[in-house]
mmCIF file of all heavy atoms in Angstrom:
data_model
loop_
_atom_site.group_PDB
_atom_site.id
_atom_site.type_symbol
_atom_site.label_atom_id
_atom_site.label_comp_id
_atom_site.label_asym_id
_atom_site.label_seq_id
_atom_site.Cartn_x
_atom_site.Cartn_y
_atom_site.Cartn_z
ATOM 1 N N LEU A 256 17.951 36.172 5.604
ATOM 2 C CA LEU A 256 18.578 36.924 6.750
ATOM 3 C C LEU A 256 18.317 36.300 8.029
ATOM 4 O O LEU A 256 19.187 36.099 8.915
ATOM 5 C CB LEU A 256 18.095 38.373 6.660
ATOM 6 C CG LEU A 256 18.464 39.228 7.931
ATOM 7 C CD1 LEU A 256 20.019 39.463 7.871
ATOM 8 C CD2 LEU A 256 17.755 40.586 7.881
ATOM 9 N N THR A 257 17.030 35.914 8.257
ATOM 10 C CA THR A 257 16.664 35.243 9.497
ATOM 11 C C THR A 257 17.496 33.940 9.647
ATOM 12 O O THR A 257 17.983 33.594 10.732
ATOM 13 C CB THR A 257 15.153 34.887 9.545
ATOM 14 O OG1 THR A 257 14.429 36.124 9.313
ATOM 15 C CG2 THR A 257 14.717 34.296 10.841
ATOM 16 N N SER A 258 17.601 33.209 8.511
ATOM 17 C CA SER A 258 18.360 31.964 8.517
ATOM 18 C C SER A 258 19.842 32.250 8.835
ATOM 19 O O SER A 258 20.524 31.488 9.548
ATOM 20 C CB SER A 258 18.239 31.219 7.228
ATOM 21 O OG SER A 258 18.940 30.025 7.204
ATOM 22 N N GLY A 259 20.327 33.383 8.316
ATOM 23 C CA GLY A 259 21.727 33.760 8.589
ATOM 24 C C GLY A 259 21.935 34.007 10.042
ATOM 25 O O GLY A 259 23.017 33.591 10.603
ATOM 26 N N PHE A 260 21.016 34.646 10.722
ATOM 27 C CA PHE A 260 21.109 34.813 12.198
ATOM 28 C C PHE A 260 21.206 33.513 12.927
ATOM 29 O O PHE A 260 22.075 33.290 13.733
ATOM 30 C CB PHE A 260 19.931 35.679 12.696
ATOM 31 C CG PHE A 260 19.702 35.565 14.160
ATOM 32 C CD1 PHE A 260 20.560 36.127 15.102
ATOM 33 C CD2 PHE A 260 18.648 34.876 14.708
ATOM 34 C CE1 PHE A 260 20.353 36.069 16.422
ATOM 35 C CE2 PHE A 260 18.381 34.777 16.057
ATOM 36 C CZ PHE A 260 19.292 35.388 16.944
ATOM 37 N N TRP A 261 20.240 32.594 12.562
ATOM 38 C CA TRP A 261 20.255 31.303 13.302
ATOM 39 C C TRP A 261 21.432 30.492 12.876
ATOM 40 O O TRP A 261 21.983 29.681 13.675
ATOM 41 C CB TRP A 261 18.962 30.544 12.959
ATOM 42 C CG TRP A 261 17.720 31.146 13.602
ATOM 43 C CD1 TRP A 261 16.689 31.764 13.008
ATOM 44 C CD2 TRP A 261 17.454 31.187 15.049
ATOM 45 N NE1 TRP A 261 15.781 32.226 13.896
ATOM 46 C CE2 TRP A 261 16.214 31.898 15.134
ATOM 47 C CE3 TRP A 261 18.054 30.755 16.105
ATOM 48 C CZ2 TRP A 261 15.641 32.051 16.399
ATOM 49 C CZ3 TRP A 261 17.532 30.912 17.381
ATOM 50 C CH2 TRP A 261 16.327 31.631 17.484
ATOM 51 N N GLY A 262 21.901 30.627 11.653
ATOM 52 C CA GLY A 262 23.152 29.888 11.166
ATOM 53 C C GLY A 262 24.370 30.347 11.953
ATOM 54 O O GLY A 262 25.171 29.548 12.319
ATOM 55 N N ALA A 263 24.470 31.700 12.201
ATOM 56 C CA ALA A 263 25.594 32.155 12.974
ATOM 57 C C ALA A 263 25.510 31.710 14.403
ATOM 58 O O ALA A 263 26.508 31.315 15.017
ATOM 59 C CB ALA A 263 25.614 33.741 12.941
ATOM 60 N N LEU A 264 24.305 31.662 14.976
ATOM 61 C CA LEU A 264 24.119 31.108 16.287
ATOM 62 C C LEU A 264 24.537 29.626 16.331
ATOM 63 O O LEU A 264 25.147 29.153 17.303
ATOM 64 C CB LEU A 264 22.618 31.279 16.682
ATOM 65 C CG LEU A 264 22.298 30.959 18.144
ATOM 66 C CD1 LEU A 264 21.283 31.923 18.711
ATOM 67 C CD2 LEU A 264 21.687 29.527 18.262
ATOM 68 N N THR A 265 24.177 28.901 15.259
ATOM 69 C CA THR A 265 24.554 27.459 15.291
ATOM 70 C C THR A 265 26.050 27.271 15.153
ATOM 71 O O THR A 265 26.634 26.450 15.839
ATOM 72 C CB THR A 265 23.842 26.814 14.000
ATOM 73 O OG1 THR A 265 22.408 27.015 14.145
ATOM 74 C CG2 THR A 265 24.185 25.349 13.972
ATOM 75 N N ALA A 266 26.681 28.042 14.296
ATOM 76 C CA ALA A 266 28.140 27.952 14.118
ATOM 77 C C ALA A 266 28.850 28.383 15.432
ATOM 78 O O ALA A 266 29.807 27.719 15.851
ATOM 79 C CB ALA A 266 28.611 28.860 13.025
ATOM 80 N N GLY A 267 28.302 29.366 16.109
ATOM 81 C CA GLY A 267 28.874 29.761 17.396
ATOM 82 C C GLY A 267 28.768 28.659 18.432
ATOM 83 O O GLY A 267 29.670 28.471 19.298
ATOM 84 N N ARG A 268 27.640 27.915 18.421
ATOM 85 C CA ARG A 268 27.500 26.879 19.382
ATOM 86 C C ARG A 268 28.445 25.716 19.100
ATOM 87 O O ARG A 268 28.931 25.033 19.993
ATOM 88 C CB ARG A 268 26.038 26.404 19.425
ATOM 89 C CG ARG A 268 25.145 27.359 20.171
ATOM 90 C CD ARG A 268 23.754 26.980 20.311
ATOM 91 N NE ARG A 268 23.041 27.938 21.194
ATOM 92 C CZ ARG A 268 21.740 28.091 21.277
ATOM 93 N NH1 ARG A 268 20.962 27.309 20.530
ATOM 94 N NH2 ARG A 268 21.215 28.991 22.183
ATOM 95 N N LEU A 269 28.753 25.473 17.820
ATOM 96 C CA LEU A 269 29.689 24.437 17.450
ATOM 97 C C LEU A 269 31.079 24.873 17.981
ATOM 98 O O LEU A 269 31.821 24.060 18.577
ATOM 99 C CB LEU A 269 29.729 24.228 15.940
ATOM 100 C CG LEU A 269 30.683 23.163 15.435
ATOM 101 C CD1 LEU A 269 30.264 21.800 15.996
ATOM 102 C CD2 LEU A 269 30.673 23.089 13.922
#
Side-chain angles (χ1 to χ4, degrees):
L256 171 67
T257 306
S258 182
F260 162 70
W261 290 112
L264 187 141
T265 304
R268 283 181 173 167
L269 182 62

